[in-house]
Amino acid sequence: MQASAEPTTDPAADHATSWPDQIFAILQRFDVRQVPYVPDAGHSLLIERVLGSSTMRGIALTTEEEGVALLLGAWAGGQRGVLLMQSSGVGNCINMLSLTRIFRFPFLTLVTMRGEWGEFNPWQVPMGSTTQAVFELAGVSVLRASHPEEVSDVMEAAAGQVYNACTPTAVLLSQRLIGTKVFVK
Amino acid sequence: MSKANLLDRRRVVSALLSDRKGTLVVGGLGASTYDIAASGDHDRNFYLWGAMGGAVMIGLGLALAQPTLPVVVITGDGEMLMGMGSLATVALQKPANLSIVVLDNECYGETGGQASHTAAAADLVGVAKACGIPDSRSISTLAEVEAFAQSLPNVAAGPRFANVKIDGANLERVLSSRDGIFILNRLRGSLGFGPI
């Protein structure tokens, strides 16, 4: 009890653990209600927050493209949503991203990046290295956060342009921000 | 290709929507959208002309956002086969107001009538049940369609799934609007939501 009440001595560590909470707070302020996701380690804390929320509904998907269609249905019914996925899932979404052009609805996705910044697993590289280009070809605006201190500003800008202007937007959360996955210690 | 005793798809959809009241209807691309248009255009019809495999998920998002209104997804076997995982996603969320109807002609009618997987072995009712939608049924008569239609307004007893074996004949296309923004904002307007 005493130990947990002590203030954190390392401000950088505090920042590093709090950026998912900052994202959660911004999504709450924008009244986001439906949160479809395919799990990723980089999203685990945010998913936990969503599943514990009384106003948001976390919706586990079998494949990422389901989430694009779900967000369209949610908006048709008057609710905002956000899709959480990993970079490898972006390729699964390509045809379904047509919906963002056809319907001009508020589409926001938060993508945790793999295949960059010291990646161990070569299988992550083909999709991770083309994620931004794929989104841009599909007409989705791309913003990126690589450091904990910029996450809040980037999220604020993304949510603003999505929910105020219906500009389809992907926020790429860099592997540098999340930390490179360690396979062998 | 027509077989004896199989249901006419337009009669099936008319029976499903004849007493629709506030029901929201999502139509899968191709003939399902034409069938819904043929039964009468409506502010609460959400027609798809693409995004194959997405119809059930659009219905799920809509159903979760509007839990007091019946939401019915009407789509084809090919479209459903492409989005089969969405049945597992629906079963997890248990939207009590969502109904899914597959018009199963066992072929890809829009592209030349090539056989679909349901013509041989794939059993979509079995898939829906195994995914966790207990109220999943196979329908082959108009009386069964009418009984199913009567259950749709009950927004406390879903999700439900029905696979309706229909005649494979290609009927004259009845074209709905292809303008997504118009269709979306018309539906939202009917629910009281304005443009941004």
Side-chain angles (χ1 to χ4, degrees):
Chain A
M1 292 290 279
Q2 261 186 332
S4 66
E6 279 174 16
T8 310
T9 48
D10 180 357
D14 185 48
H15 232 325
T17 56
S18 66
W19 62 262
D21 279 316
Q22 293 169 4
I23 293 176
F24 179 69
I26 291 167
L27 294 174
Q28 284 225 303
R29 184 153 42 76
F30 276 88
D31 195 26
V32 169
R33 306 296 290 276
Q34 295 193 29
V35 187
Y37 65 91
V38 172
D40 181 61
H43 278 314
S44 57
L45 183 58
L46 180 57
I47 291 169
E48 233 174 79
R49 294 285 181 274
V50 167
L51 293 175
S53 162
S54 59
T55 57
M56 290 182 179
R57 187 172 188 128
I59 299 161
L61 307 172
T62 70
T63 176
E64 293 82 357
E65 68 217 77
E66 289 178 8
V68 182
L70 182 95
L71 294 189
L72 171 61
W75 177 247
Q79 289 190 343
R80 293 171 172 176
V82 63
L83 169 60
L84 310 183
M85 61 177 156
Q86 183 198 93
S87 47
S88 54
V90 175
N92 292 347
C93 294
I94 294 174
N95 184 48
M96 212 57 85
L97 288 172
S98 312
L99 295 174
T100 66
R101 287 198 187 181
I102 297 294
F103 291 98
R104 204 186 62 210
F105 69 105
F107 174 75
L108 175 60
T109 181
L110 310 184
V111 180
T112 45
M113 293 303 297
R114 294 290 307 273
E116 59 179 31
W117 196 257
E119 176 65 59
F120 174 86
N121 180 358
W123 296 60
Q124 291 284 355
V125 177
M127 198 60 238
S129 61
T130 53
T131 295
Q132 176 158 356
V134 164
F135 273 131
E136 287 171 350
L137 280 169
V140 176
S141 167
V142 177
L143 302 176
R144 183 186 268 271
S146 297
H147 304 282
E149 57 275 14
E150 67 185 0
V151 170
S152 175
D153 279 356
V154 170
M155 264 307 295
E156 194 75 38
Q161 71 185 41
V162 168
Y163 301 119
N164 296 324
C166 289
T167 302
T169 301
V171 173
L172 309 187
L173 301 166
S174 297
Q175 184 148 233
R176 184 174 188 176
L177 169 73
I178 297 156
T180 305
K181 182 169 175 177
V182 177
F183 284 85
V184 182
K185 296 194 183 182
Chain B
M1 169 179 60
S2 288
K3 289 182 198 164
N5 301 323
L6 283 171
L7 291 170
D8 172 83
R9 56 188 310 143
R10 296 267 158 91
R11 283 190 72 188
V12 170
V13 173
S14 293
L16 289 171
L17 301 181
S18 63
D19 191 25
R20 61 183 287 169
K21 299 191 181 75
T23 300
L24 300 155
V25 180
V26 178
L29 81 170
S32 307
T33 268
Y34 312 145
D35 296 336
I36 294 166
S39 83
D41 190 29
H42 196 287
D43 287 354
R44 294 188 174 189
N45 285 353
F46 200 87
Y47 307 109
L48 300 179
W49 284 75
M52 189 164 176
V56 166
M57 290 306 298
I58 293 170
L60 176 61
L62 199 47
L64 295 177
Q66 291 290 329
T68 63
L69 290 176
V71 175
V72 182
V73 176
I74 299 173
T75 191
D77 46 303
E79 207 275 346
M80 189 70 256
L81 284 162
M82 197 174 280
M84 278 204 302
S86 56
L87 293 173
T89 299
V90 164
L92 207 53
Q93 297 302 320
K94 297 184 171 61
N97 57 331
L98 179 65
S99 304
I100 300 160
V101 180
V102 175
L103 302 171
D104 182 5
N105 60 3
E106 303 185 349
C107 72
Y108 295 87
E110 194 68 18
T111 56
Q114 300 86 349
S116 90
H117 302 50
T118 63
D123 166 19
L124 289 172
V125 175
V127 170
K129 274 190 183 154
C131 283
I133 304 176
D135 186 353
S136 296
R137 64 186 78 181
S138 182
I139 286 179
S140 56
T141 70
L142 203 56
E144 289 168 325
V145 174
E146 284 162 355
F148 189 72
Q150 282 179 6
S151 73
L152 300 181
N154 183 346
V155 294
R160 49 180 84 83
F161 177 94
N163 191 76
V164 187
K165 288 288 182 184
I166 55 160
D167 190 283
N170 271 337
L171 305 178
E172 190 185 345
R173 290 188 178 96
V174 177
L175 304 184
S176 72
S177 169
R178 302 180 298 293
D179 183 340
I181 293 170
F182 165 73
I183 290 162
L184 174 63
N185 287 329
R186 184 174 70 157
L187 186 144
R188 280 172 50 85
S190 83
L191 296 170
F193 300 111
I196 63 162

